[in-house]
Amino acid sequence: PIPADILSAFDYERHARARLPTDVWAYIDGAGADGITKRWNREAFDRIPLAGRVLADMSEASTAINLFGMEMNMPIILAPTAFHMLVHPEGERATVVGASAAKAWMSVSCQASVSLEEIAAVSETTLLFQLYMQQSRDDTLRLVRRAEAANYRALLVTVDAPVNGVRNDEQRAGFRLPPHVRAVNLDGMPSPVSRAGPGESPVFKGLLDRVPTFADIEWLRRQTSLPLLLKGIAHPDDAERAIGCGVDGIVVSNHGGRTLDTLPASLDMLKDVAARVDGRVPLIVDGGIRRGTDVLKALALGANAVMIGAPILHALAVGGAVGVLHLLTILRAELEVAMALTGCRGVGEVEEGVLAERRLSGR
Ligand code: FNR
């Protein structure tokens, strides 16, 4: 049973922290370096006041949207997060059951702890596969073909983590994967290793010999007819180049503050990217979204949908599939309240007018 005092995403976070081993918590909660971007992600939402509107007609109001030609009943997608078996014995199998019950789309991490086929087998929702480009194109292509065969409906290529961020929280806690948890979908695929000797570049030598570039995205675009999204775009110029590669969508993200610390808040990056993209491809944003009002603000500033990462793991840790369903139900209800009280009958009506003081959010 779900503890009765859990009413919000923050409540799930508090319960998960109390329940999980400290090293696992450090992995899930740990940010890059000093955690500044992670803090900014939240502050950017909190800074923006909303414009309340009254007496609007809300008959037939709906949170439904259409993305890549597919219907979705709310603009909230599960972000890809690695190793769900760290927090629940069923891992991603439980997550996808909860997401399916909520009819929410789920992204499956390349580093899932359950095979992508097994997750698809118990899924009753739309699945997206998050791909990390592998060292060899053959390995990358094998993953793409498996995702296609298992009926994944889009590829989300994460481009902001060719190396791990500086994860001091994890290092201090001495986090290591337990023996029963690994990235099963990558079995047999080599991960890059540093070949640096004393006094040599610790990261540049070896680790980054074969990092993906925009040329690889152009190549990947030719290999599949699935919608292709790049996740981790942080700059309008990179959004422009992504569109030039023929991508179908962009996920504006700073990886929840886990990669490069002091990147801007995701909401601030969204504004810049949305201005440049100007509606040419759909935009999704993630990082720090914890309330329905956060979703509303992201939609108002140019996102077509949002993704949530860590809160899903918190809910999974506390309540398994039921926890995931409960959290998604809470977030959807909060979004509906926010839409009702700002007079928005549909997601398409959520625009900058719902923000009271746009200038307060400027940096
Ligand atoms: C992540 N994220 C992530 N992203 C990705 O593309 N592949 C991955 O395997 C992971 N793994 C992962 C693990 C954990 C524990 C977290 C918290 C995050 C990043 C994730 O997709 C998303 O960008 C952020 O989590 C969004 O920020 P919030 O919602 O967690 O604040």
Side-chain angles (χ1 to χ4, degrees):
I2 305 294
D5 65 342
I6 296 188
L7 301 167
S8 72
F10 292 117
D11 294 332
Y12 269 113
E13 178 178 353
R14 182 167 43 85
H15 275 264
R17 181 194 299 263
R19 180 171 307 216
L20 290 170
T22 49
D23 64 328
V24 171
W25 181 255
Y27 171 71
I28 289 173
D29 189 56
D34 300 308
I36 291 168
T37 293
K38 185 176 150 120
R39 192 178 76 232
W40 284 347
N41 277 348
R42 285 289 324 135
E43 287 175 359
F45 287 108
D46 289 348
R47 255 190 346 249
I48 301 181
L50 288 171
R53 300 302 301 272
V54 299
L55 300 175
D57 175 14
M58 292 301 291
S59 59
E60 289 173 51
S62 164
T63 56
I65 63 165
N66 185 300
L67 209 54
F68 316 117
M70 298 179 279
E71 295 295 325
M72 168 161 38
N73 71 356
M74 59 174 161
I76 303 171
I77 304 171
L78 284 79
T81 51
F83 308 127
H84 291 198
M85 280 173 68
L86 276 177
V87 302
H88 191 278
E90 294 289 311
E92 289 80 358
R93 278 176 290 252
T95 318
V96 77
V97 168
S100 297
K103 295 194 166 71
W105 293 12
M106 172 169 162
S107 321
V108 170
S109 168
C110 205
Q111 303 190 85
S113 49
V114 173
S115 83
L116 67 93
E117 289 84 3
E118 270 182 86
I119 300 167
V122 291
S123 167
E124 290 180 22
T125 187
T126 300
L127 295 179
L128 322 178
F129 184 67
Q130 180 259 314
L131 179 70
Y132 280 123
M133 305 285 274
Q134 299 298 302
Q135 304 255 91
S136 96
R137 284 185 169 179
D138 285 350
D139 285 341
T140 301
L141 215 44
R142 243 192 304 280
L143 287 168
V144 172
R145 296 293 173 248
R146 284 175 60 191
E148 289 171 342
N151 204 26
Y152 284 71
R153 307 302 294 276
L155 288 179
L156 208 58
V157 183
T158 297
V159 292
D160 63 358
V163 286
N164 275 329
V166 173
R167 299 270 186 83
N168 291 158
D169 292 332
E170 269 173 46
Q171 292 165 324
R172 274 184 212 105
F175 173 75
R176 290 178 52 194
L177 283 177
H180 70 287
V181 181
R182 65 174 205 283
V184 289
N185 292 293
L186 302 180
D187 279 351
M189 301 186 190
S191 28
V193 284
S194 174
R195 286 187 281 98
E200 293 182 324
S201 283
V203 173
F204 291 156
K205 181 118 193 238
L207 269 181
L208 293 177
D209 283 350
R210 176 78 188 85
V211 290
T213 65
F214 278 102
D216 295 289
I217 301 300
E218 284 169 357
W219 166 82
L220 182 62
R221 174 69 292 177
R222 295 193 297 272
Q223 308 305 315
T224 180
S225 56
L226 284 177
L228 185 64
L229 287 78
L230 297 194
K231 172 175 180 287
I233 296 290
H235 196 288
D237 291 349
D238 283 346
E240 191 71 55
R241 293 192 72 181
I243 292 172
C245 293
V247 305
D248 301 282
I250 287 172
V251 183
V252 177
S253 173
N254 49 37
H255 218 100
R258 296 165 71 83
T259 54
L260 180 62
D261 199 22
T262 71
L263 279 177
S266 50
L267 199 63
D268 291 327
M269 302 194 309
L270 171 67
K271 278 183 282 188
D272 290 347
V273 172
R276 179 75 67 88
V277 169
D278 197 22
R280 282 177 288 167
V281 295
L283 294 180
I284 297 172
V285 68
D286 73 16
I289 291 163
R290 301 292 180 268
R291 286 287 189 184
T293 42
D294 300 336
V295 181
L296 189 86
K297 291 169 191 180
L299 298 174
L301 288 170
N304 297 75
V306 305
M307 299 203 304
I308 47 173
I312 296 293
L313 292 171
H314 302 155
L316 181 66
V318 174
V322 175
V324 171
L325 167 61
H326 182 221
L327 172 67
L328 290 164
T329 306
I330 288 171
L331 287 171
R332 180 176 174 181
E334 288 183 356
L335 173 61
E336 292 184 4
V337 169
M339 287 171 63
L341 298 179
T342 54
C344 298
R345 269 198 333 181
V347 170
E349 289 179 22
V350 180
E351 39 77 62
E352 285 202 62
V354 307
L355 311 178
E357 287 271 5
R358 261 167 287 162
R359 118 191 104 68
L360 280 185
S361 67
R363 217 191 269 275

